Coordinates of all heavy atoms in Angstrom, one line a residue:
M1 N 39.1 195.8 -21.4 CA 39.1 196.2 -22.8 C 38.0 195.5 -23.6 O 37.3 196.2 -24.3 CB 40.5 195.8 -23.4 CG 40.6 196.2 -24.8 SD 42.1 195.5 -25.6 CE 43.2 196.8 -25.5
F2 N 37.8 194.2 -23.5 CA 36.8 193.5 -24.2 C 35.8 192.9 -23.3 O 35.3 191.8 -23.6 CB 37.5 192.4 -25.1 CG 38.4 192.9 -26.2 CD1 39.7 193.0 -26.0 CD2 37.8 193.4 -27.3 CE1 40.5 193.5 -27.0 CE2 38.6 193.8 -28.4 CZ 40.0 193.9 -28.2
K3 N 35.5 193.5 -22.2 CA 34.5 193.0 -21.3 C 33.2 192.7 -22.0 O 32.7 193.6 -22.7 CB 34.3 194.0 -20.1 CG 33.8 193.3 -18.9 CD 33.9 194.3 -17.7 CE 33.7 193.6 -16.4 NZ 34.0 194.4 -15.3
Y4 N 32.6 191.6 -21.7 CA 31.3 191.2 -22.3 C 31.4 191.2 -23.9 O 30.5 191.7 -24.5 CB 30.2 192.0 -21.8 CG 30.2 192.1 -20.3 CD1 30.4 193.3 -19.7 CD2 29.9 191.0 -19.5 CE1 30.4 193.5 -18.3 CE2 29.9 191.1 -18.1 CZ 30.2 192.3 -17.5 OH 30.2 192.4 -16.2
S5 N 32.4 190.7 -24.4 CA 32.7 190.8 -25.9 C 32.2 189.6 -26.6 O 32.3 188.4 -26.2 CB 34.2 190.9 -26.1 OG 34.4 190.8 -27.5
P6 N 31.6 189.8 -27.8 CA 31.2 188.6 -28.6 C 32.5 188.1 -29.4 O 32.4 187.1 -30.1 CB 30.2 189.2 -29.6 CG 30.5 190.7 -29.7 CD 31.1 191.0 -28.3
I7 N 33.6 188.8 -29.3 CA 34.8 188.5 -30.0 C 35.6 187.5 -29.2 O 36.1 186.5 -29.8 CB 35.6 189.8 -30.3 CG1 34.8 190.8 -31.1 CG2 36.9 189.4 -31.1 CD1 35.4 192.2 -31.2
I8 N 35.8 187.8 -28.0 CA 36.6 186.9 -27.1 C 35.9 186.6 -25.9 O 34.9 187.3 -25.5 CB 38.0 187.5 -26.8 CG1 37.9 188.8 -25.9 CG2 38.8 187.8 -28.0 CD1 39.2 189.3 -25.3
S9 N 36.3 185.5 -25.3 CA 35.6 185.1 -24.0 C 36.7 184.6 -23.1 O 37.8 184.1 -23.5 CB 34.5 184.1 -24.2 OG 35.1 182.9 -24.8
A10 N 36.4 184.6 -21.8 CA 37.3 184.0 -20.8 C 36.5 183.4 -19.7 O 35.6 184.0 -19.2 CB 38.2 185.1 -20.2
S11 N 36.7 182.1 -19.5 CA 35.9 181.3 -18.5 C 36.9 180.4 -17.8 O 37.7 179.7 -18.5 CB 34.8 180.6 -19.2 OG 34.2 179.6 -18.3
P12 N 36.8 180.2 -16.5 CA 37.6 179.2 -15.8 C 37.5 177.8 -16.4 O 38.4 177.0 -16.3 CB 37.1 179.3 -14.4 CG 36.4 180.6 -14.3 CD 35.9 180.9 -15.6
E13 N 36.4 177.5 -17.0 CA 36.1 176.2 -17.5 C 36.8 176.0 -18.9 O 36.9 174.8 -19.4 CB 34.6 175.9 -17.7 CG 33.9 175.8 -16.4 CD 33.4 177.2 -15.9 OE1 33.1 178.0 -16.7 OE2 33.5 177.4 -14.6
I14 N 37.2 177.0 -19.6 CA 37.8 176.9 -20.9 C 39.2 177.5 -20.8 O 39.5 178.6 -20.5 CB 37.0 177.7 -22.0 CG1 35.6 177.1 -22.0 CG2 37.7 177.6 -23.3 CD1 34.7 177.9 -22.9
M15 N 40.2 176.6 -21.0 CA 41.6 176.9 -21.0 C 42.0 177.7 -19.7 O 42.9 178.6 -19.7 CB 42.0 177.8 -22.2 CG 41.7 177.1 -23.6 SD 42.7 175.7 -23.9 CE 44.3 176.5 -24.2
G16 N 41.4 177.3 -18.6 CA 41.7 177.9 -17.3 C 41.5 179.4 -17.2 O 42.2 180.1 -16.4
G17 N 40.6 180.0 -18.0 CA 40.3 181.4 -18.0 C 41.1 182.2 -19.0 O 41.0 183.5 -19.0
T18 N 42.0 181.6 -19.7 CA 42.8 182.3 -20.8 C 41.8 182.9 -21.8 O 40.9 182.2 -22.2 CB 43.7 181.3 -21.5 OG1 44.6 180.8 -20.5 CG2 44.5 182.0 -22.6
P19 N 42.0 184.2 -22.2 CA 41.1 184.8 -23.2 C 41.3 184.0 -24.5 O 42.4 183.8 -25.0 CB 41.6 186.2 -23.3 CG 42.3 186.5 -22.0 CD 42.9 185.2 -21.6
V20 N 40.1 183.6 -25.0 CA 40.1 182.8 -26.3 C 39.1 183.5 -27.3 O 38.3 184.3 -26.9 CB 39.6 181.3 -26.0 CG1 40.6 180.6 -25.2 CG2 38.2 181.2 -25.5
F21 N 39.2 183.1 -28.5 CA 38.2 183.6 -29.5 C 36.9 182.9 -29.1 O 36.8 181.7 -28.8 CB 38.6 183.2 -30.9 CG 39.7 184.0 -31.5 CD1 41.0 183.7 -31.4 CD2 39.4 185.2 -32.1 CE1 42.0 184.5 -31.9 CE2 40.4 186.1 -32.6 CZ 41.7 185.7 -32.5
A22 N 35.8 183.7 -29.1 CA 34.5 183.2 -28.6 C 34.1 182.0 -29.4 O 34.3 182.0 -30.7 CB 33.5 184.3 -28.8
G23 N 33.6 181.0 -28.7 CA 33.2 179.8 -29.4 C 34.3 178.8 -29.7 O 34.0 177.8 -30.4
T24 N 35.5 179.1 -29.3 CA 36.6 178.2 -29.6 C 37.5 178.0 -28.3 O 37.2 178.6 -27.3 CB 37.6 178.8 -30.7 OG1 38.4 179.8 -30.1 CG2 36.8 179.4 -31.9
R25 N 38.5 177.2 -28.5 CA 39.5 177.1 -27.4 C 40.8 177.6 -27.8 O 41.9 177.3 -27.3 CB 39.6 175.6 -27.0 CG 38.3 175.0 -26.5 CD 38.5 173.5 -26.2 NE 39.5 173.2 -25.2 CZ 39.3 173.3 -23.9 NH1 38.1 173.7 -23.4 NH2 40.2 173.0 -23.0
V26 N 40.8 178.5 -28.8 CA 42.0 179.1 -29.4 C 42.4 180.4 -28.6 O 41.6 181.4 -28.7 CB 41.9 179.4 -30.9 CG1 43.2 180.0 -31.4 CG2 41.5 178.1 -31.6
P27 N 43.5 180.5 -27.9 CA 43.8 181.7 -27.2 C 44.1 182.8 -28.1 O 44.7 182.7 -29.2 CB 45.1 181.3 -26.4 CG 45.1 179.8 -26.3 CD 44.4 179.4 -27.6
V28 N 43.7 184.0 -27.7 CA 43.9 185.2 -28.5 C 45.5 185.4 -28.6 O 46.0 185.9 -29.6 CB 43.2 186.5 -27.8 CG1 43.7 187.7 -28.5 CG2 41.7 186.3 -27.9
Q29 N 46.2 185.1 -27.5 CA 47.6 185.2 -27.5 C 48.3 184.5 -28.7 O 49.3 184.9 -29.2 CB 48.2 184.8 -26.2 CG 49.7 185.0 -26.1 CD 50.1 186.5 -26.1 OE1 49.5 187.3 -25.4 NE2 51.1 186.8 -26.9
T30 N 47.7 183.4 -29.1 CA 48.2 182.6 -30.2 C 48.3 183.5 -31.5 O 49.3 183.4 -32.2 CB 47.5 181.3 -30.4 OG1 47.5 180.6 -29.2 CG2 48.1 180.5 -31.5
L31 N 47.2 184.2 -31.8 CA 47.2 185.1 -32.9 C 48.3 186.1 -32.8 O 49.1 186.4 -33.8 CB 45.9 185.8 -33.1 CG 45.8 186.9 -34.1 CD1 46.1 186.4 -35.5 CD2 44.5 187.7 -34.1
L32 N 48.4 186.7 -31.6 CA 49.5 187.8 -31.4 C 50.9 187.2 -31.6 O 51.7 187.8 -32.2 CB 49.3 188.4 -30.0 CG 48.0 189.1 -29.8 CD1 47.9 189.6 -28.4 CD2 47.7 190.2 -30.8
D33 N 51.1 185.9 -31.1 CA 52.4 185.3 -31.3 C 52.6 185.0 -32.8 O 53.8 185.2 -33.3 CB 52.4 183.9 -30.6 CG 52.4 184.1 -29.1 OD1 52.7 185.2 -28.6 OD2 52.1 183.1 -28.4
Y34 N 51.6 184.6 -33.6 CA 51.8 184.4 -35.0 C 52.2 185.7 -35.7 O 53.2 185.8 -36.5 CB 50.5 183.9 -35.6 CG 50.4 182.4 -35.8 CD1 50.3 181.6 -34.7 CD2 50.4 181.9 -37.1 CE1 50.2 180.2 -34.9 CE2 50.3 180.5 -37.3 CZ 50.2 179.7 -36.2 OH 50.1 178.3 -36.3
L35 N 51.5 186.8 -35.4 CA 51.8 188.1 -36.0 C 53.2 188.6 -35.6 O 53.9 189.1 -36.5 CB 50.7 189.1 -35.6 CG 49.3 188.7 -36.2 CD1 48.3 189.8 -35.7 CD2 49.3 188.6 -37.7
K36 N 53.5 188.5 -34.3 CA 54.9 188.9 -33.9 C 56.0 188.1 -34.6 O 57.1 188.7 -34.8 CB 55.0 188.7 -32.4 CG 54.3 189.8 -31.6 CD 54.7 189.8 -30.1 CE 54.2 188.6 -29.4 NZ 54.3 188.6 -28.0
A37 N 55.7 186.9 -34.9 CA 56.7 186.0 -35.6 C 56.8 186.3 -37.1 O 57.5 185.7 -37.8 CB 56.4 184.6 -35.3
G38 N 55.9 187.2 -37.6 CA 55.9 187.5 -39.0 C 55.0 186.7 -39.9 O 55.0 186.7 -41.1
E39 N 54.2 185.8 -39.2 CA 53.3 185.0 -39.9 C 52.1 185.9 -40.3 O 51.8 186.9 -39.7 CB 52.8 183.8 -39.0 CG 53.9 182.9 -38.6 CD 54.5 182.1 -39.7 OE1 53.9 181.8 -40.7 OE2 55.7 181.7 -39.5
S40 N 51.3 185.4 -41.3 CA 50.2 186.1 -41.8 C 48.9 185.7 -41.1 O 48.9 184.6 -40.4 CB 50.0 185.9 -43.3 OG 49.6 184.6 -43.6
I41 N 47.8 186.4 -41.2 CA 46.5 186.0 -40.7 C 46.1 184.7 -41.4 O 45.6 183.8 -40.7 CB 45.5 187.1 -41.0 CG1 45.8 188.3 -40.1 CG2 44.1 186.6 -40.7 CD1 44.9 189.6 -40.3
N42 N 46.4 184.6 -42.7 CA 46.1 183.3 -43.4 C 46.8 182.1 -42.8 O 46.2 181.1 -42.6 CB 46.4 183.4 -44.9 CG 45.4 184.3 -45.6 OD1 44.3 184.5 -45.2 ND2 45.8 184.8 -46.7
D43 N 48.0 182.3 -42.4 CA 48.8 181.2 -41.8 C 48.1 180.8 -40.4 O 47.9 179.6 -40.1 CB 50.2 181.6 -41.5 CG 51.1 181.8 -42.7 OD1 50.8 181.2 -43.7 OD2 52.0 182.6 -42.6
F44 N 47.7 181.8 -39.7 CA 47.0 181.6 -38.4 C 45.7 180.8 -38.7 O 45.4 179.8 -38.0 CB 46.7 182.9 -37.7 CG 45.9 182.7 -36.5 CD1 46.4 182.2 -35.3 CD2 44.5 183.1 -36.5 CE1 45.6 182.1 -34.2 CE2 43.7 182.9 -35.4 CZ 44.2 182.4 -34.2
L45 N 44.9 181.3 -39.6 CA 43.6 180.7 -39.9 C 43.8 179.3 -40.4 O 43.0 178.4 -40.1 CB 42.8 181.5 -40.9 CG 42.4 182.9 -40.4 CD1 41.8 183.7 -41.5 CD2 41.4 182.8 -39.2
D46 N 44.8 179.0 -41.2 CA 45.1 177.6 -41.7 C 45.4 176.7 -40.5 O 45.0 175.6 -40.5 CB 46.3 177.6 -42.6 CG 46.0 178.2 -44.0 OD1 44.8 178.4 -44.3 OD2 47.0 178.5 -44.7
G47 N 46.1 177.2 -39.5 CA 46.4 176.4 -38.3 C 45.3 176.3 -37.3 O 45.3 175.3 -36.5
F48 N 44.3 177.2 -37.3 CA 43.2 177.2 -36.4 C 41.9 177.4 -37.1 O 41.3 178.5 -37.0 CB 43.5 178.3 -35.3 CG 44.7 178.0 -34.6 CD1 45.9 178.6 -34.9 CD2 44.8 177.1 -33.5 CE1 47.1 178.4 -34.3 CE2 45.9 176.9 -32.8 CZ 47.1 177.5 -33.2
P49 N 41.4 176.4 -37.8 CA 40.2 176.6 -38.6 C 38.9 176.8 -37.8 O 37.9 177.2 -38.4 CB 40.1 175.2 -39.4 CG 40.9 174.3 -38.5 CD 42.0 175.1 -37.9
T50 N 38.9 176.7 -36.5 CA 37.7 177.0 -35.7 C 37.6 178.6 -35.6 O 36.5 179.0 -35.2 CB 37.7 176.4 -34.3 OG1 38.9 176.8 -33.6 CG2 37.7 174.9 -34.5
V51 N 38.6 179.3 -35.8 CA 38.6 180.8 -35.8 C 38.2 181.3 -37.2 O 38.8 180.8 -38.2 CB 39.9 181.4 -35.3 CG1 39.8 182.9 -35.2 CG2 40.3 180.8 -33.9
T52 N 37.3 182.3 -37.3 CA 37.0 182.8 -38.6 C 37.8 184.1 -38.9 O 38.3 184.8 -37.9 CB 35.5 183.2 -38.7 OG1 35.2 184.2 -37.8 CG2 34.6 181.9 -38.4
R53 N 37.9 184.4 -40.1 CA 38.6 185.6 -40.5 C 37.8 186.8 -39.9 O 38.5 187.8 -39.5 CB 38.6 185.8 -42.0 CG 39.2 187.1 -42.6 CD 39.3 187.1 -44.1 NE 40.3 186.1 -44.5 CZ 41.6 186.1 -44.4 NH1 42.2 187.2 -43.9 NH2 42.4 185.2 -44.9
E54 N 36.5 186.7 -39.9 CA 35.7 187.8 -39.3 C 36.1 188.1 -37.8 O 36.1 189.2 -37.4 CB 34.2 187.5 -39.4 CG 33.7 187.6 -40.9 CD 34.1 186.4 -41.7 OE1 34.5 185.3 -41.2 OE2 34.1 186.5 -43.0
Q55 N 36.3 187.0 -37.1 CA 36.7 187.1 -35.7 C 38.0 187.8 -35.5 O 38.2 188.7 -34.7 CB 36.8 185.7 -35.0 CG 35.4 185.1 -34.7 CD 35.6 183.8 -34.1 OE1 36.1 182.9 -34.7 NE2 35.1 183.6 -32.9
V56 N 39.0 187.4 -36.4 CA 40.3 188.0 -36.3 C 40.2 189.5 -36.7 O 40.8 190.3 -35.9 CB 41.3 187.3 -37.3 CG1 42.6 188.1 -37.4 CG2 41.6 185.9 -36.8
I57 N 39.5 189.8 -37.7 CA 39.4 191.2 -38.1 C 38.7 192.1 -37.1 O 39.1 193.2 -36.7 CB 38.7 191.4 -39.5 CG1 39.5 190.7 -40.6 CG2 38.4 192.8 -39.8 CD1 40.9 191.1 -40.8
A58 N 37.6 191.5 -36.5 CA 36.9 192.2 -35.4 C 37.8 192.4 -34.2 O 37.8 193.5 -33.6 CB 35.7 191.4 -35.0
L59 N 38.6 191.5 -33.9 CA 39.5 191.6 -32.7 C 40.5 192.8 -33.0 O 40.8 193.6 -32.2 CB 40.3 190.3 -32.5 CG 41.4 190.5 -31.4 CD1 40.7 190.4 -30.0 CD2 42.4 189.4 -31.6
L60 N 41.1 192.7 -34.2 CA 42.1 193.8 -34.6 C 41.5 195.1 -34.6 O 42.1 196.1 -34.2 CB 42.8 193.4 -35.9 CG 43.6 192.1 -35.8 CD1 44.1 191.8 -37.2 CD2 44.8 192.2 -34.8
E61 N 40.3 195.2 -35.2 CA 39.6 196.5 -35.2 C 39.3 197.1 -33.9 O 39.4 198.3 -33.6 CB 38.3 196.4 -36.1 CG 38.6 196.3 -37.6 CD 37.4 196.0 -38.4 OE1 36.3 195.7 -37.9 OE2 37.5 196.2 -39.7
E62 N 38.8 196.2 -33.0 CA 38.5 196.6 -31.6 C 39.8 197.0 -30.9 O 39.8 198.0 -30.1 CB 37.8 195.5 -30.8 CG 37.3 195.9 -29.5 CD 36.3 197.1 -29.4 OE1 35.6 197.2 -30.4 OE2 36.4 197.8 -28.4
A63 N 40.8 196.3 -31.1 CA 42.1 196.7 -30.4 C 42.6 198.0 -31.0 O 43.1 198.9 -30.2 CB 43.2 195.6 -30.7
E64 N 42.4 198.3 -32.2 CA 42.8 199.5 -32.8 C 42.0 200.7 -32.2 O 42.5 201.7 -31.8 CB 42.5 199.5 -34.3 CG 42.8 200.8 -35.0 CD 42.4 200.9 -36.5 OE1 41.5 200.1 -36.9 OE2 43.1 201.6 -37.2
K65 N 40.7 200.5 -32.1 CA 39.8 201.5 -31.4 C 40.3 201.8 -30.0 O 40.3 202.9 -29.6 CB 38.3 201.0 -31.4 CG 37.6 201.3 -32.7 CD 36.1 201.1 -32.5 CE 35.7 199.8 -33.0 NZ 34.3 199.5 -32.8
Q66 N 40.5 200.7 -29.3 CA 41.0 200.9 -27.9 C 42.3 201.7 -27.8 O 42.4 202.6 -27.0 CB 41.1 199.5 -27.2 CG 39.8 198.8 -27.1 CD 38.8 199.4 -26.0 OE1 39.3 199.9 -25.0 NE2 37.6 199.2 -26.3
L67 N 43.2 201.3 -28.6 CA 44.6 201.9 -28.6 C 44.5 203.4 -29.0 O 45.1 204.3 -28.4 CB 45.5 201.1 -29.4 CG 45.9 199.8 -28.9 CD1 46.7 199.0 -29.9 CD2 46.7 199.9 -27.6
V68 N 43.8 203.6 -30.1 CA 43.6 205.0 -30.6 C 42.9 205.9 -29.5 O 43.3 207.0 -29.3 CB 42.9 205.1 -31.9 CG1 42.5 206.5 -32.3 CG2 43.8 204.4 -33.0
G69 N 41.9 205.3 -28.9 CA 41.2 206.0 -27.8 C 42.1 206.4 -26.6 O 41.8 207.3 -25.9
M70 N 43.1 205.6 -26.4 CA 44.0 205.8 -25.3 C 44.9 207.1 -25.5 O 45.3 207.7 -24.6 CB 44.9 204.6 -25.0 CG 44.2 203.4 -24.5 SD 45.2 201.9 -24.4 CE 46.6 202.5 -23.4
V71 N 45.1 207.4 -26.8 CA 46.0 208.5 -27.1 C 45.3 209.7 -27.7 O 45.9 210.8 -27.9 CB 47.2 208.1 -28.0 CG1 48.0 207.1 -27.3 CG2 46.6 207.6 -29.3
A72 N 44.0 209.5 -28.0 CA 43.3 210.6 -28.6 C 42.8 211.6 -27.6 O 42.6 211.4 -26.4 CB 42.1 210.1 -29.4

């Protein structure tokens, strides 16, 4: 889905290969967990200041494109 992405990265040296926001050690799954729990993007960003709003929005926009492309 996000192969060779500037948005997320996965490397065995960082968090054991867990997909993280590029340039951070914050797992993408953490954002999804926040959103599933009813928390806001602002709540997530407050808890993880190394992630930028632009990264979160870019991730969500790319996920939207991928999902819409699957059913279009």
Side-chain angles (χ1 to χ4, degrees):
M1 180 191 264
F2 293 100
K3 202 169 193 172
Y4 311 113
S5 171
I7 303 166
I8 64 171
S9 63
S11 168
E13 294 85 36
I14 300 173
M15 303 291 290
T18 299
V20 297
F21 284 93
T24 77
R25 297 178 60 82
V26 180
V28 171
Q29 184 63 48
T30 303
L31 171 63
L32 301 176
D33 291 343
Y34 263 68
L35 296 176
K36 284 192 290 189
E39 301 291 334
S40 70
I41 292 172
N42 286 337
D43 292 331
F44 172 78
L45 293 172
D46 287 344
F48 300 94
T50 58
V51 179
T52 67
R53 176 173 298 283
E54 290 76 18
Q55 286 176 298
V56 170
I57 298 304
L59 174 79
L60 295 173
E61 287 175 345
E62 185 61 30
E64 177 186 29
K65 277 193 260 179
Q66 295 287 329
L67 290 170
V68 169
M70 290 172 58
V71 297

